[in-house]
Amino acid sequence: MLLRLRDLHLPSAEELCLHESIDLMIRQNYRYMDPASSRTWSLISGEPAQQWKRPGSPAFGAAVEGVSGAGKSEAILRCLSTYPQQVIQHKSFLKMANGLQQVTWLSIDVPASGRATDLAAALMTAWKKATGSTRFDRTLAGAWRNGPQMLEEWRQVASSHFLGLLHLDEIQNFFKLSTLDRRRKRKSGDDSPELSIVEDQCIKWILTLMNTWQIPLLVSGTPDGISALTKRLSNAERIVTSESHRVSWRHQLLR
């Protein structure tokens, strides 16, 4: 039974801070997204934001940075697993005849292609796995797919089920190395690789998700991916509203 010691997990100080950031994002956002408020239902139904948004209502976001294999994903999933339920079943719920499934959190890997269609498919598949819902079966089975439409379809369902937090791992997959010709034109003193967006629609959707639809977002990835993301967001502070965390090999060894 000696190998059972591998199940023992001693969180680092950074991991404890990460758990605090996640918990604050989820709980504070539910304070603004109160199901008893008419403004919340106005948001879900798609009414213009200026009619419902409370002054000072923030966009919740956090980032976890670290080299591959440092333990970013494991640390995040361990934090999320501390919640008793990923999906909470409400047999009776305001404005819902048959109750409601409240999804506390959802975690996916950004597809290697970095495209909106594949991102939406990954979100829909993860939603089905977590909730057992067949809501997206027809869309996923379709031969023709429209990425932005699929992302909006998923967002509507996530909003109506009060998603507490979305975690996007491997955020660097949204980017790729720029062309050789473009790299040659860069200043000779800058040796860092330049990353370009695979599909701009994905980055715009991330901003809309936080700003307009108020779904807290946690992103994780390699240092170059996090750097590329924050450089290309119109306001980089949105992604680190709740904190920016760095997971290193030292933290991994302490486990």
Side-chain angles (χ1 to χ4, degrees):
M1 306 302 290
L2 184 62
L3 288 180
R4 292 191 65 180
L5 287 174
R6 297 183 63 182
D7 296 336
L8 176 64
H9 178 67
L10 301 177
S12 65
E14 188 65 36
E15 191 173 337
L16 293 174
C17 292
L18 171 60
H19 182 274
E20 183 179 68
S21 295
I22 291 173
D23 198 56
L24 286 172
M25 281 197 293
I26 293 176
R27 296 181 187 277
Q28 287 301 306
N29 194 67
Y30 279 136
R31 183 167 67 89
Y32 290 98
M33 295 292 290
D34 182 3
S37 171
S38 60
R39 293 174 178 174
T40 301
W41 293 98
S42 296
L43 165 63
I44 293 173
S45 63
E47 294 180 13
Q50 60 269 21
Q51 294 184 15
W52 63 264
K53 194 168 184 180
R54 182 184 305 175
S57 176
F60 290 100
V64 180
E65 172 188 330
V67 298
S68 297
K72 302 181 299 296
S73 302
E74 183 179 359
I76 292 169
L77 291 176
R78 284 186 180 275
C79 290
L80 294 174
S81 68
T82 61
Y83 293 94
Q85 295 171 283
Q86 181 182 6
V87 180
I88 302 172
Q89 301 287 344
H90 297 278
K91 294 182 179 180
S92 176
F93 199 84
L94 181 70
K95 297 182 181 291
M96 297 288 183
N98 299 316
L100 176 81
Q101 284 184 318
Q102 177 188 353
V103 181
T104 309
W105 57 269
L106 194 71
S107 175
I108 70 160
D109 288 351
V110 174
S113 67
R115 298 193 174 279
T117 302
D118 296 329
L119 175 64
L123 288 165
M124 291 178 174
T125 301
W127 190 272
K128 179 177 182 178
K129 183 178 179 181
T131 66
S133 171
T134 59
R135 172 66 174 76
F136 301 116
D137 284 3
R138 180 176 296 181
T139 301
L140 290 171
W144 182 81
R145 296 181 176 183
N146 181 294
Q149 289 182 6
M150 290 173 67
L151 286 173
E152 175 58 17
E153 180 184 355
W154 177 87
R155 196 280 311 161
Q156 290 176 357
V157 173
S159 293
S160 63
H161 288 266
F162 296 92
L163 177 62
L165 179 136
L166 175 63
H167 169 222
L168 297 179
D169 199 5
E170 307 296 346
I171 203 74
Q172 66 273 7
N173 288 342
F174 280 137
F175 306 92
K176 63 180 179 181
L177 280 173
S178 58
T179 62
L180 180 60
D181 181 63
R182 185 172 179 178
R183 278 179 277 165
R184 284 173 175 168
K185 292 179 180 179
R186 298 187 69 199
K187 294 180 180 180
S188 58
D190 188 359
D191 296 328
S192 60
E194 182 184 11
L195 299 178
S196 59
I197 300 173
V198 174
E199 190 171 335
D200 192 53
Q201 178 62 41
C202 292
I203 306 302
K204 291 180 179 178
W205 182 75
I206 287 176
L207 278 175
T208 302
L209 197 71
M210 290 191 296
N211 293 339
T212 303
W213 303 115
Q214 281 195 267
I215 295 179
L217 182 68
L218 174 65
V219 298
S220 56
T222 57
D224 56 344
I226 295 295
S227 175
L229 178 67
T230 53
K231 284 180 181 178
R232 285 161 175 80
L233 286 175
S234 58
N235 287 299
E237 67 270 16
R238 287 188 179 97
I239 208 67
V240 292
T241 302
S242 297
E243 194 57 68
S244 177
H245 302 273
R246 179 170 297 175
V247 177
S248 66
W249 283 109
R250 180 175 62 84
H251 295 140
Q252 176 75 355
L253 291 173
L254 284 173
R255 294 195 312 102

